[in-house]
Amino acid sequence: MSGRQPDFLDRWDHQVATRSGAPALIEGTVRWSYAQVEARAGALASVLAARGAGRGSVVGLSLDRPRDAVLSMLAVLRTGAAFSVLEPGLPPEARKDLVARVGAVLWLHDSTRQGPPLPLGTPCLDLATMEAGPAAAPYTGVPAAPTQPAYALFTSGSTGRPKGIVIERGALAAFADAVAERLLLTPADRWLQIASLGFDVVIEEVFPVLATGGAVVCRPDTLPLEPPELHRVLRESEATVAELSTQYWREYARWLDAADETTPAALRAVLVGGERMEPGTYRAWQRRQPAALVHVYGLTECTVTSTMYTGRLPGDATEVPIGTPLSNAAVSVRADGRVLPPGRTGEIHIAGPSLARGYLHDKEQTELRFRPDPHADGERVYATGDLGRLLPGGALEFLGRIDSQLKVRGHRLEAAAVERALESTPAVAQAVVLIDPGDATSLIACLVPADRALAPEPGTAARLTDGQRREVVGPTAAAFPSWGVPTRLYWTADLPKNPHGKVDTAALAAATVAAPVRTPPETGAGPGPDRPSTVDEPLHVVLHRFRDVLAAPALGPDDDFFAHGGQSILAMRLVSALRTDVPAAAGLRVATLFDCPTPRRLARHLSDRT
């Protein structure tokens, strides 16, 4: 390797040579050793190379089994090509658009799994066919240069159309080394893979631990884990590291407290990031839980994570810092081109080897966001759009966004893009999208109706009926992931302005909180043909929990959970509560809510199980 920058595969090859029999990928009771993974990845790389994969090309992954995805990533890197991952939950039109933009020489998929289909005409390779056929010879090729792309992953579509971010191989290697160094990873570590395969956090869950000889703990699918399931998987797999979104971590912390549990003995670090972390929750975790918290901050454009914070929070701290830079990132706070001293608020800038090559097929945006650094000749710097300040001890504190982007469950969202989609329907004249003040995990929309007869009194808000909501959110649901679709929609007579002439979002939020909830003709759970009244028929308990979780005291037994503000985090909360209240709900899963989204249907489902 003399004179050549290290590649991730250098780290991998070292582990294969020195720890060939140690587990690299774990799925349940199945262990794939480093030697076994290398043999499978090498054989797959030979097939990919024969189909055109190599330097300058991209191989797409449309897979929903984490073990297969990690193996495929290694195989693609072995050929010198870059990989791109298609998010399973994308709407069909968004999937079609991303496949076209990636321009992959072929896409890997598994015909035995029930994933969304790829667009017609897409060049594909079926992993199931490979498993059934004879093994290919291991791939032998020329090592790729550090400036060659390693992967292209897409942002969450904050502007209405996701941006592809191209990360080079040198940046990936430096990132894996930097995370391993900061977290003190060893061959004894096991990192539980939880993130969606299209989310860049998967890079952090896979490459640092493999670079140090540890193992990636894979689940058999990508279905979300509810807190009790997460706890069980962590315990049974003896995972030592896990990474959770801020909202998901809050639900896990809430469940641990309610169940009077502590984190499993093997778990030593929980990485948390994506949104602001409450100091009170942070301190409460540190008082009760053995596993250390690591508050992380980063962007896809800067190879996942750039700063980390852990340790005791000072007693006078009003924010949880996002920490100090990893060894592969140079972080500064700037204003008007000047680097600011500690204590001054400005825009967070990131430089160093962590920076992406740029945006996929978008030279204009690349040049706009990745600028020459006037403080480092020949280097580039990325302006994050985030506000922050350096604390006296050197840690960085995050203070929000400069622009109007919102953070929804760890994803960035451009509110204007969702507003345009809502306004594309004939019923809506104007739209404003806000974070729901009731749960801070989902979106609400305040709409000025085109038909003024639907407008409530000025200064008030009125919830859309279920039929109106279905009509209005159609274009939005087709264009955005589920977390980007408002769950509560309100009519308002106008959009109030503040003294600066901007929409007064605080006034709108206050109006939605005070808005009356539509009361169905029959909201009680008294006796009747479909109204259970005994403990064995728990409609009254289920209805109470629906109302409590959704903060909707007049919710009726036939009202849809998702049409009244329900989303994944609240669904976890509801299921956890029902497991405590109703014996028949002991094995209840969040997925059941999609089939039984009303209190009555869910109560019937639970009654049928007794």
Side-chain angles (χ1 to χ4, degrees):
M1 293 195 304
S2 59
R4 184 172 70 85
Q5 293 183 38
D7 186 86
F8 169 77
L9 289 181
D10 297 326
R11 308 288 188 252
W12 170 260
D13 290 342
H14 174 74
Q15 302 302 336
V16 171
T18 60
R19 294 179 51 75
S20 62
L25 298 181
I26 299 172
E27 185 188 280
T29 59
V30 178
R31 307 285 194 271
W32 282 2
S33 70
Y34 274 84
Q36 289 172 317
V37 174
E38 171 59 19
R40 289 171 178 267
L44 177 56
S46 291
V47 176
L48 294 176
R51 296 283 298 270
R55 292 190 183 189
S57 66
V58 179
V59 174
L61 310 181
S62 181
L63 301 167
D64 68 347
R65 188 171 191 170
R67 186 184 70 183
D68 290 344
V70 176
L71 179 75
S72 299
M73 291 173 186
L74 293 169
V76 173
L77 290 176
R78 183 66 76 189
T79 69
F83 62 83
S84 188
V85 184
L86 195 59
E87 178 66 41
L90 284 176
E93 286 303 312
R95 289 175 63 82
K96 183 178 179 181
D97 178 59
L98 260 60
V99 168
R101 291 166 61 193
V102 167
V105 292
L106 76 162
W107 285 84
L108 291 176
H109 75 112
D110 184 348
S111 62
T112 66
R113 311 280 289 190
Q114 293 183 342
L118 287 161
L120 291 176
T122 302
C124 295
L125 176 63
D126 188 350
L127 287 183
T129 303
M130 279 199 60
E131 289 287 340
Y139 177 78
T140 55
V142 179
T147 55
Q148 289 292 315
Y151 65 83
L153 291 183
F154 286 81
T155 62
S156 49
S158 63
T159 60
R161 195 182 193 217
K163 293 178 181 177
I165 315 296
V166 181
I167 301 294
E168 295 178 347
R169 298 176 74 105
L172 175 60
F175 170 72
D177 289 348
V179 173
E181 175 188 45
R182 177 62 66 89
L183 297 179
L184 302 176
L185 296 179
T186 73
D189 277 303
R190 295 182 173 187
W191 197 314
L192 177 60
Q193 197 285 306
I194 300 173
S196 170
L197 296 176
F199 194 21
D200 70 340
V201 171
V202 72
I203 302 298
E204 189 156 50
E205 295 174 320
V206 170
F207 291 93
V209 72
L210 292 182
T212 51
V216 179
V217 178
C218 299
R219 298 180 291 122
D221 52 47
T222 56
L223 294 175
L225 292 173
E226 299 161 38
E229 293 173 309
L230 170 65
H231 190 68
R232 176 184 56 78
V233 172
L234 287 169
R235 184 183 65 250
E236 293 177 354
S237 68
E238 298 184 321
T240 62
V241 184
E243 185 160 1
L244 309 176
S245 70
T246 308
Q247 289 292 346
Y248 191 9
W249 166 71
R250 286 175 186 151
E251 290 302 313
Y252 182 44
R254 184 198 301 265
W255 180 84
L256 286 171
D257 288 344
D260 196 24
E261 290 274 7
T262 57
T263 50
L267 187 66
R268 67 179 185 86
V270 178
L271 281 66
V272 181
E275 296 174 68
R276 178 179 176 271
M277 181 184 282
E278 290 286 345
T281 313
Y282 185 93
R283 291 188 177 101
W285 176 284
Q286 289 195 319
R287 286 193 299 269
R288 275 199 86 237
Q289 302 303 334
L293 277 180
V294 184
H295 195 202
V296 300
Y297 166 82
L299 301 94
T300 309
E301 289 90 340
C302 304
T303 318
V304 194
T305 293
S306 296
T307 67
M308 291 186 180
Y309 176 84
T310 191
R312 288 288 164 184
L313 193 62
D316 60 349
T318 58
E319 295 288 342
V320 180
I322 54 177
T324 54
L326 302 184
S327 61
N328 67 325
V331 180
S332 58
V333 177
R334 307 186 185 189
D336 300 323
R338 296 178 295 109
V339 176
L340 299 178
R344 296 281 303 278
T345 299
E347 184 178 7
I348 299 172
H349 286 64
I350 300 175
S354 66
L355 293 195
R357 170 184 287 193
Y359 295 108
L360 183 67
H361 309 316
D362 196 336
K363 182 179 179 182
E364 181 180 351
Q365 280 296 313
T366 298
E367 292 177 349
L368 179 65
R369 299 303 299 274
F370 296 86
R371 307 165 187 165
D373 190 350
H375 301 284
D377 187 38
E379 300 294 329
R380 298 179 305 150
V381 65
Y382 182 78
T384 65
D386 291 331
L387 289 172
R389 64 174 179 171
L390 283 172
L391 300 175
L396 190 67
E397 189 175 76
F398 173 77
L399 299 173
R401 289 289 301 172
I402 292 175
D403 53 27
S404 61
Q405 284 188 340
L406 305 176
K407 266 291 188 69
V408 186
R409 284 174 258 164
H411 301 279
R412 286 186 176 164
L413 182 78
E414 189 68 49
V418 182
E419 290 162 1
R420 286 193 296 271
L422 293 169
E423 290 169 354
S424 70
T425 61
V428 178
Q430 291 177 281
V432 169
V433 172
L434 313 168
I435 293 290
D436 190 331
D439 60 36
T441 67
S442 58
L443 297 174
I444 62 173
C446 296
L447 313 173
V448 177
D451 180 358
R452 300 302 297 175
L454 296 175
E457 291 294 322
T460 67
R463 183 82 66 86
L464 272 68
T465 66
D466 290 349
Q468 290 170 339
R469 183 185 183 280
R470 284 193 293 271
E471 176 187 354
V472 168
V473 301
T476 311
F480 292 88
S482 59
W483 52 262
V485 180
T487 54
R488 301 180 196 266
L489 291 92
Y490 299 87
W491 295 125
T492 183
D494 54 22
L495 301 180
K497 302 296 193 296
N498 62 24
H500 299 287
K502 296 183 179 181
V503 174
D504 191 342
T505 54
L508 286 175
T512 63
V513 171
V517 179
R518 176 181 62 85
T519 304
E522 299 179 10
T523 60
D530 294 318
R531 296 186 183 279
S533 60
T534 69
V535 175
D536 294 329
E537 298 174 307
L539 176 56
H540 61 294
V541 178
V542 175
L543 180 58
H544 169 74
R545 281 302 182 186
F546 267 65
R547 289 171 172 174
D548 181 52
V549 168
L550 294 173
L555 190 84
D558 297 307
D559 284 330
D560 189 291
F561 178 81
F562 299 100
H564 288 77
Q567 33 81 359
S568 59
I569 297 296
L570 294 181
M572 290 181 185
R573 195 174 300 172
L574 173 64
V575 168
S576 294
L578 289 174
R579 284 172 173 167
T580 301
D581 294 344
V582 183
L588 184 65
R589 294 178 56 87
V590 166
T592 305
L593 277 176
F594 291 97
D595 296 322
C596 305
T598 70
R600 193 188 309 280
R601 289 174 64 180
L602 186 59
R604 285 175 177 165
H605 171 80
L606 296 176
S607 296
D608 290 343
R609 298 176 62 178
T610 58

